[in-house]
Structures are given as structure tokens and as C-alpha cells.
Amino acid sequence: MNHSPAPPDDPAPADWSAQRGITLMRTLATALTVLDGTAGDGSIAVPYAPEVQRALDRTVLACLERGAEPPASLPDLLSWCRERPVSDWPVDLPPEAAGPDDVLLDPESSRPTELCYEWAEQFSDSALVLYDREIIRAALRLCREYGEEEAYSEFRRLLVTRPVLTPAEEFAVSMDHVLDPVKELVSRVYRPVPDSYLREGAYATCGRCLTLLTPLPDGGWWCERDRCRRLGRPPVGRRLARDEVGGLIQLARPLRQFVTGPGRAEVSLETRLTTLGLKVRMWPAYDAYDVHVTFPDGRVWAVDVKDWAHPAFLGRAARPVPKEPPYDEAFWVVPQDRVDDRPGYVAAFERNRPAACHLPLLTDNELVDRAAARVTRDVLAAEGFEENRDA
């Protein structure tokens, strides 16, 4: 797999904003995330939210302009989003805007797919969609005001490792004084869990990603993380009977999508690098980047982990890793299964990466292999040095 930097004269990525199909899809993706955030009981309020009505109107207009049969209603449009791959919609889209099987709503649960959230995150100015960014910025501001970098790292780790809290766990978090600068923020980002997550009076969490599972009519469970669903039916982690533990709270969906999900890949990488004997610092300098790795000889790597489903979106978002804290080499890293799931992932990233940004993209496996090889070289070099000195 070729990860060499693009030559300086590579053409810039195509201007997607000029495509009318992009405008429609970002409007639609925003509407679907708004619906998901406001229709917790599965119902759709009438009149529709402005974003939702706008998405329906623009879809109908786009179909009429192309001479295609439009959706007859919002439920009909939602059926399209569940059943019709984006590449088959009667709209003009750039070649890499969607894969042949990409849909906007999961067929089993009717919840937005990760791709849908990435569409919305990339192009929308909706307050709901940008909620995760606003929360992280607020946490950074508060922790800087207090001069407590550890508080920010602890806040990030909380969002990654504990997306669901029982009342007893909520109380324990409230007593954690490291989190004092962001206590009010913590109380705002966790929301009461609706009854739609209950089956026979109990909740269940995913044994892989720790988020709550949604019960399905056939008796199975649905995990909101695409990554988990690709691995098969989700394993049940904790079973929490409401009569025993009380009502649960969980992180707002944008935070689960864009902080908890990628964060699982970050802490997994932390564990693998620490196992190699490396010194690992997470979210250094108030989240300048994700992982700061120090080798025994003092050499430093900076790593940003990007758990994105869509490689073209990731390429368009590429930018240099911040210079502080200082490092010798920097990488963006994507989980191996993202690359396995979508052939040509890295090539699509590189085609859509800005020409001025020569940032290498590795899989997490490739990064760990490189780190392990470097540790081995360091050890052999040190042993050779000692032997020569003894001689």
C-alpha cells in the first residue's frame, strides 16, 4: 500500500461545493440528524422542523428537474434513505462522494449511519450537528482558564470510556475533583435515556463500543456504530435492570458519534503502544493532537487518529498536525478495519487531500508495526553499543 506524499504539483481536490447534489445531500443528512435528535420515541412531530421540510422540498425539486418520480411524503423519503444507495439517487454527485452500497439510514433501525453523520459534519452549519465541536471547545476553554490540562484529558477519557452512566456512576463522577473545571459541562452533555432502549425492563450496552444497544423486533440488538455492525451481531456487555440501577443517562448522540467512537480507537492505540514499552501521553497540550509517543532514545511521534467511514471526506479534512508539543514525525491513523471495509481507502484519501498537505495516512496496525520495528532497532543498537564498549 503506497503511503508516499503526493508530489507538489498534484491537482487540488474538486470543488464539491459547486455540485448541486452535494447541497442536497448535506441538507438531507442534516435533516436526518435533526430527526434522530428530536424523535427519541420514534414519532415525527408535525409541522416538521425547518431542516426536515427543506430536505423534503429540495429532494422533490431535484427529482422533478431530472424527470424522476419524487418521494410522495416524508415517510417515503425516509424509505429512500434506508433502502436506496446514495449513488442511485437522481442527483449529480462527484464520483467519490458515495460508495455503491452507502445509505443514509440503517435499514434495521432507521437511525442515521456514520456516513450520514459525516455528510452533516462536513458540510452543515446546523447547531445540532456542530454540537460536539462546541462542547469540546467549551471544555478546552474552561480547563485552560483553570490551568488544568489533566482535567481536559480526564474529561476526554470520560466521554470515550463511559458513554453511559447509572445514577451511582453519575454520583461518582460528580465527586471526582479532577473534573471540577468541567463539572457543569458534564452535567449538560449526558441526557436521560428514553424507554425505547428498554427490553423487558432492562438496558444493554455493547460489549465492543460501550454504547447502549437498541432492541430489535426479532429479539436481537442493534449497535449504532457501523464498525460494530460490520463485525456481526453486537455482543451484550452490561445488562442494567432499571428497577435495580434506576434510569440511565448517556452522552448526546453527536458526542457518541464524533468523540466516543473515534476515542475507542485512540485508547486502543494507547494500549498497544504502551505494551511495546513506549511512553504515551494522550491529548497533550489541551488536545493539540491525540497521541504523543516517546521512544527510549527520546524520539517523538505525534499521532492523530481518524475513525472515519468516508475516505474522501477524510482527505478533504486533512491538515498538518500542530507543531506543539514538538515531535520528530507525525501521522494520521485510521483503524485497519476501515481500510479493509472500503477498497482503495488510502488512495481515495490521497486523491482528495489538499495538494499542499503531504500528511501520511497509516492504519493503526501499520503504525504499531513501525513502532515495534523501531523499538527493536533501538534495543539492538543499545546492545551493540554495550558490547562494543565492553570490548
Side-chain angles (χ1 to χ4, degrees):
M1 190 176 295
N2 180 17
H3 297 293
S4 59
D9 58 351
D10 269 7
D15 182 9
W16 283 17
S17 63
Q19 296 273 356
R20 294 187 65 186
I22 293 290
T23 302
L24 173 60
M25 285 299 158
R26 71 186 184 192
T27 300
L28 187 54
T30 300
L32 296 174
T33 59
V34 168
L35 277 176
D36 189 56
T38 57
D41 60 356
S43 63
I44 301 175
V46 178
Y48 305 144
E51 295 95 338
V52 176
Q53 186 65 56
R54 187 181 308 117
L56 178 59
D57 293 343
R58 288 185 177 178
T59 303
V60 170
L61 179 60
C63 291
L64 293 176
E65 289 179 342
R66 295 289 296 270
E69 185 71 22
S73 62
L74 179 60
D76 194 19
L77 176 59
L78 297 181
S79 294
W80 279 32
C81 296
R82 285 191 299 270
E83 302 164 7
R84 192 168 188 172
V86 171
S87 57
D88 290 343
W89 285 51
V91 296
D92 294 321
L93 292 171
E96 292 185 329
D101 301 319
D102 288 338
V103 292
L104 296 176
L105 291 179
D106 179 75
E108 287 188 285
S109 68
S110 296
R111 304 284 296 278
T113 60
E114 291 180 357
L115 178 70
C116 180
Y117 267 94
E118 287 178 12
W119 270 96
E121 181 82 358
Q122 278 283 300
F123 298 107
S124 178
D125 59 359
S126 164
L128 178 64
V129 173
L130 301 180
Y131 175 79
D132 61 296
R133 300 184 197 178
E134 293 172 356
I135 291 299
I136 294 301
R137 281 196 292 264
L140 286 168
R141 176 180 56 78
L142 290 167
C143 293
R144 284 191 176 111
E145 287 176 357
Y146 279 81
E148 295 286 351
E149 183 179 337
E150 184 183 359
Y152 177 77
S153 297
E154 190 71 11
F155 176 74
R156 280 296 294 267
R157 195 174 291 277
L158 174 69
L159 303 191
V160 170
T161 63
R162 306 179 79 178
V164 179
L165 296 176
T166 66
E169 291 165 345
E170 181 183 6
F171 176 76
V173 169
S174 72
M175 299 301 292
D176 184 349
H177 293 299
V178 174
L179 291 169
D180 280 349
V182 290
K183 282 288 177 64
E184 183 177 354
L185 198 59
V186 169
S187 69
R188 293 177 181 274
V189 299
Y190 283 89
R191 312 279 179 77
V193 172
D195 291 347
S196 57
Y197 285 93
L198 284 168
R199 169 176 286 152
E200 298 178 351
Y203 308 96
T205 64
C206 177
R208 283 191 286 256
C209 68
L210 310 182
T211 59
L212 281 176
L213 297 172
T214 301
L216 296 172
D218 66 1
W221 297 93
W222 180 84
C223 179
E224 66 188 19
R225 295 293 293 166
D226 291 359
R227 187 178 185 182
C228 280
R229 296 198 302 278
R230 286 195 303 274
L231 297 174
R233 291 287 185 177
V236 174
R238 296 194 294 170
R239 289 187 182 272
L240 302 165
R242 183 164 60 178
D243 289 347
E244 297 176 6
V245 303
L248 305 183
I249 56 175
Q250 67 175 339
L251 285 175
R253 175 66 192 268
L255 288 167
R256 302 198 305 271
Q257 175 68 33
F258 291 107
V259 180
T260 306
R264 300 297 299 162
E266 293 163 6
V267 297
S268 173
L269 187 61
E270 174 191 22
T271 300
R272 296 172 70 183
L273 293 171
T274 302
T275 300
L276 294 176
L278 300 174
K279 182 180 178 181
V280 180
R281 181 180 168 200
M282 298 297 289
W283 309 294
Y286 299 99
D287 206 13
Y289 44 83
D290 294 328
V291 189
H292 179 279
V293 187
T294 305
F295 287 84
D297 65 354
R299 192 168 181 83
V300 172
W301 285 1
V303 181
D304 258 340
V305 182
K306 305 296 180 181
D307 190 6
W308 289 41
H310 199 299
F313 288 165
L314 183 59
R316 292 171 61 81
R319 62 187 184 278
V321 175
K323 296 294 187 183
E324 295 291 336
Y327 52 81
D328 299 290
E329 293 184 77
F331 310 92
W332 270 19
V333 166
V334 65
Q336 181 69 50
D337 57 3
R338 291 292 192 192
V339 174
D340 294 340
D341 188 58
R342 191 181 289 261
Y345 189 105
V346 174
F349 166 84
E350 291 177 344
R351 281 193 298 272
N352 287 275
R353 179 182 57 189
C357 180
H358 300 161
L359 181 74
L361 179 69
L362 303 179
T363 69
D364 52 355
N365 288 352
E366 289 171 330
L367 183 90
V368 172
D369 287 347
R370 285 195 184 192
R374 196 176 196 292
V375 168
T376 299
R377 288 197 302 270
D378 289 349
V379 170
L380 291 176
E383 290 175 350
F385 175 77
E386 292 295 334
E387 290 172 1
N388 291 336
R389 189 174 67 177
D390 292 343

XYZ file of all heavy atoms in Angstrom, residues 213-244:
265
model
N -27.345 -0.426 23.390
C -27.901 -1.147 22.256
C -29.395 -0.865 22.141
O -30.086 -0.660 23.145
C -27.676 -2.648 22.417
C -26.208 -3.104 22.446
C -26.117 -4.577 22.806
C -25.531 -2.827 21.112
N -29.886 -0.866 20.903
C -31.308 -0.666 20.629
C -31.953 -2.022 20.377
O -31.468 -2.788 19.528
C -31.512 0.230 19.400
O -30.880 1.498 19.636
C -32.991 0.436 19.114
N -33.033 -2.379 21.105
C -33.683 -3.678 20.869
C -34.385 -3.717 19.525
O -35.004 -2.739 19.105
C -34.683 -3.784 22.022
C -34.921 -2.388 22.483
C -33.661 -1.629 22.209
N -34.268 -4.849 18.835
C -34.917 -5.044 17.543
C -36.134 -5.957 17.700
O -36.183 -6.788 18.623
C -33.936 -5.666 16.547
C -32.718 -4.805 16.176
C -31.733 -5.610 15.336
C -33.161 -3.548 15.445
N -37.111 -5.848 16.807
C -38.329 -6.661 16.913
C -38.072 -8.163 16.895
O -38.837 -8.937 17.486
C -39.151 -6.232 15.687
C -38.668 -4.850 15.373
C -37.215 -4.859 15.716
N -36.984 -8.598 16.231
C -36.721 -10.039 16.135
C -36.031 -10.596 17.380
O -35.666 -11.774 17.429
C -35.879 -10.341 14.892
C -34.473 -9.737 14.968
O -34.146 -9.096 15.987
O -33.707 -9.904 14.003
N -35.842 -9.759 18.385
C -35.198 -10.205 19.612
C -33.721 -9.891 19.665
O -33.076 -10.085 20.702
N -33.145 -9.411 18.559
C -31.733 -9.057 18.554
C -31.502 -7.638 19.031
O -32.417 -6.951 19.503
N -30.273 -7.211 18.898
C -29.884 -5.871 19.313
C -29.187 -5.174 18.157
O -28.527 -5.814 17.329
C -28.923 -5.919 20.510
C -29.501 -6.514 21.744
C -29.424 -7.816 22.150
C -30.264 -5.839 22.755
N -30.069 -7.988 23.351
C -30.597 -6.791 23.748
C -30.679 -4.517 22.922
C -31.321 -6.467 24.881
C -31.404 -4.191 24.056
C -31.727 -5.155 25.021
N -29.308 -3.855 18.123
C -28.670 -3.030 17.090
C -27.713 -2.066 17.761
O -28.052 -1.404 18.743
C -29.738 -2.258 16.323
C -29.210 -1.363 15.239
C -28.888 -1.728 13.965
C -28.958 0.051 15.318
N -28.452 -0.636 13.241
C -28.487 0.478 14.046
C -29.092 1.005 16.328
C -28.147 1.795 13.768
C -28.739 2.323 16.060
C -28.282 2.705 14.786
N -26.475 -2.009 17.223
C -25.484 -1.054 17.723
C -25.396 0.107 16.748
O -25.353 -0.095 15.529
C -24.123 -1.727 17.869
S -22.835 -0.593 18.463
N -25.331 1.312 17.272
C -25.308 2.496 16.418
C -23.985 2.691 15.691
O -23.887 3.490 14.770
C -25.618 3.744 17.243
C -24.559 4.085 18.275
C -24.997 5.207 19.207
O -26.201 5.455 19.294
O -24.119 5.822 19.847
N -22.947 1.959 16.089
C -21.642 2.091 15.454
C -21.546 1.162 14.252
O -21.647 -0.056 14.371
C -20.516 1.763 16.434
C -20.389 2.719 17.597
C -19.951 4.077 17.157
N -18.573 4.074 16.631
C -18.060 5.077 15.943
N -18.782 6.141 15.661
N -16.817 5.015 15.516
N -21.344 1.742 13.068
C -21.177 0.934 11.856
C -20.070 -0.100 12.037
O -20.162 -1.231 11.556
C -20.819 1.829 10.667
C -21.966 2.733 10.238
O -23.046 2.647 10.852
O -21.780 3.522 9.289
N -19.022 0.307 12.695
C -17.862 -0.573 12.881
C -18.260 -1.850 13.605
O -17.814 -2.944 13.252
C -16.804 0.191 13.673
C -15.476 -0.512 13.810
C -14.501 0.377 14.563
N -13.179 -0.182 14.621
C -12.175 0.406 15.263
N -12.366 1.558 15.853
N -10.987 -0.155 15.286
N -19.102 -1.731 14.621
C -19.557 -2.913 15.355
C -20.448 -3.794 14.479
O -20.328 -5.022 14.476
C -20.330 -2.494 16.608
S -19.282 -2.012 17.992
N -21.340 -3.174 13.731
C -22.273 -3.959 12.925
C -21.557 -4.743 11.847
O -21.988 -5.837 11.477
C -23.343 -3.044 12.321
C -24.223 -2.368 13.351
C -25.511 -1.848 12.731
N -25.279 -0.919 11.651
C -25.026 0.373 11.814
N -24.931 0.889 13.038
N -24.851 1.179 10.772
N -20.449 -4.210 11.329
C -19.698 -4.953 10.313
C -19.094 -6.227 10.885
O -18.814 -7.170 10.150
C -18.589 -4.072 9.730
C -19.086 -2.996 8.785
C -17.924 -2.439 7.980
N -16.864 -1.913 8.823
C -16.836 -0.677 9.305
N -17.826 0.158 9.058
N -15.834 -0.267 10.051
N -18.890 -6.252 12.179
C -18.308 -7.431 12.829
C -19.363 -8.452 13.225
O -19.049 -9.479 13.827
C -17.513 -6.998 14.069
C -16.311 -6.100 13.795
C -15.685 -5.619 15.098
C -15.270 -6.835 12.948
N -20.628 -8.184 12.891
C -21.704 -9.109 13.221
C -22.586 -8.564 14.329
O -22.489 -7.407 14.729
N -23.472 -9.412 14.812
C -24.361 -9.014 15.896
C -23.547 -8.540 17.093
O -22.547 -9.162 17.466
C -25.266 -10.181 16.321
C -26.306 -10.553 15.282
C -27.398 -9.510 15.206
N -28.465 -9.894 14.291
C -29.563 -9.189 14.077
N -29.713 -8.018 14.700
N -30.486 -9.592 13.238
N -23.953 -7.439 17.711
C -23.134 -6.906 18.811
C -23.185 -7.790 20.046
O -24.256 -8.307 20.407
C -23.782 -5.545 19.089
C -25.205 -5.702 18.648
C -25.157 -6.624 17.462
N -22.049 -7.990 20.692
C -22.065 -8.723 21.963
C -22.639 -7.840 23.063
O -22.345 -6.640 23.116
C -20.587 -9.016 22.208
C -19.868 -7.884 21.528
C -20.697 -7.536 20.315
N -23.471 -8.398 23.895
C -24.039 -7.633 25.001
C -22.997 -7.523 26.107
O -22.419 -8.521 26.538
C -25.327 -8.295 25.524
C -25.830 -7.562 26.770
C -26.396 -8.294 24.435
N -22.742 -6.284 26.522
C -21.815 -6.042 27.619
C -22.537 -6.069 28.955
O -22.811 -7.129 29.522
N -22.899 -4.893 29.443
C -23.629 -4.818 30.711
C -25.133 -4.904 30.479
O -25.654 -4.316 29.533
C -23.316 -3.498 31.416
C -21.878 -3.330 31.824
C -21.716 -2.175 32.800
N -22.021 -0.882 32.200
C -22.141 0.256 32.897
N -22.007 0.232 34.218
N -22.393 1.395 32.282
N -25.826 -5.653 31.317
C -27.289 -5.629 31.366
C -27.689 -4.889 32.636
O -27.256 -5.245 33.738
C -27.875 -7.039 31.378
C -27.730 -7.771 30.048
C -28.481 -9.099 30.065
N -28.312 -9.841 28.833
C -29.080 -9.710 27.768
N -30.071 -8.832 27.787
N -28.867 -10.441 26.686
N -28.480 -3.844 32.477
C -28.795 -2.945 33.585
C -30.307 -2.873 33.765
O -31.006 -2.234 32.968
C -28.212 -1.555 33.303
C -26.695 -1.512 33.075
C -26.277 -0.192 32.451
C -25.966 -1.736 34.391
N -30.799 -3.548 34.783
C -32.236 -3.538 35.057
C -32.618 -2.193 35.663
O -32.007 -1.749 36.645
C -32.603 -4.672 36.014
N -33.616 -1.556 35.086
C -33.997 -0.226 35.571
C -34.470 -0.281 37.013
O -34.203 0.649 37.795
C -35.080 0.375 34.682
C -35.458 1.784 35.093
C -36.225 2.525 34.045
N -37.472 1.862 33.689
C -38.348 2.343 32.802
N -38.079 3.481 32.171
N -39.444 1.697 32.522
N -35.156 -1.330 37.421
C -35.636 -1.432 38.802
C -34.489 -1.517 39.796
O -34.649 -1.163 40.965
C -36.532 -2.668 38.955
C -37.875 -2.506 38.265
O -38.206 -1.359 37.885
O -38.584 -3.518 38.085
N -33.326 -1.972 39.332
C -32.183 -2.136 40.227
C -31.257 -0.927 40.219
O -30.780 -0.499 41.275
C -31.384 -3.386 39.840
C -32.174 -4.680 39.977
C -31.382 -5.877 39.485
O -30.182 -5.703 39.151
O -31.958 -6.985 39.416
